[in-house]
Amino acid sequence: MLEDALEHLVRGVVDNPDDVTVRDKQMRRGGSILEVRVHPDDLGKVIGRGGRTASAFRTVDSALAGKGGARVDFVDVDRRR
């Protein structure tokens, strides 16, 4: 559910919505990282001026996640395949 909601929000901001993917990576200590991949040209839009847009995405995500929470990591599609 968190992945779908975050993907929907990010697709609304970027110029290349077909390149947006969100993957849930489970960590060993029970935590979770949502890895958001976007087109390299869209990375600035997703991060925003001073990180405000990324912070807003993280705020919405933590509100939806509740107590468990999840970390959000933004990556362009050319990095870390």
Side-chain angles (χ1 to χ4, degrees):
M1 178 186 135
L2 290 176
E3 300 90 22
D4 296 333
L6 186 58
E7 185 173 342
H8 180 74
L9 290 172
V10 173
R11 283 180 184 255
V13 173
V14 299
D15 290 331
N16 301 295
D18 294 334
D19 290 338
V20 174
T21 59
V22 178
R23 194 172 92 191
D24 186 8
K25 297 173 74 175
Q26 294 295 320
M27 301 306 290
R28 290 184 183 173
R29 295 185 182 184
S32 170
I33 295 178
L34 295 177
E35 183 179 79
V36 180
R37 293 179 181 265
V38 296
H39 191 275
D41 296 339
D42 292 327
L43 193 57
K45 288 185 179 201
V46 173
I47 294 172
R49 183 172 292 156
R52 289 185 204 152
T53 306
S55 178
F57 285 136
R58 288 181 178 114
T59 301
V60 170
D61 186 61
S62 43
L64 290 174
K67 191 173 184 178
R71 188 176 138 212
V72 179
D73 186 21
F74 296 99
V75 180
D76 67 50
V77 291
D78 289 342
R79 279 186 47 212
R80 293 197 296 181
R81 292 268 170 189

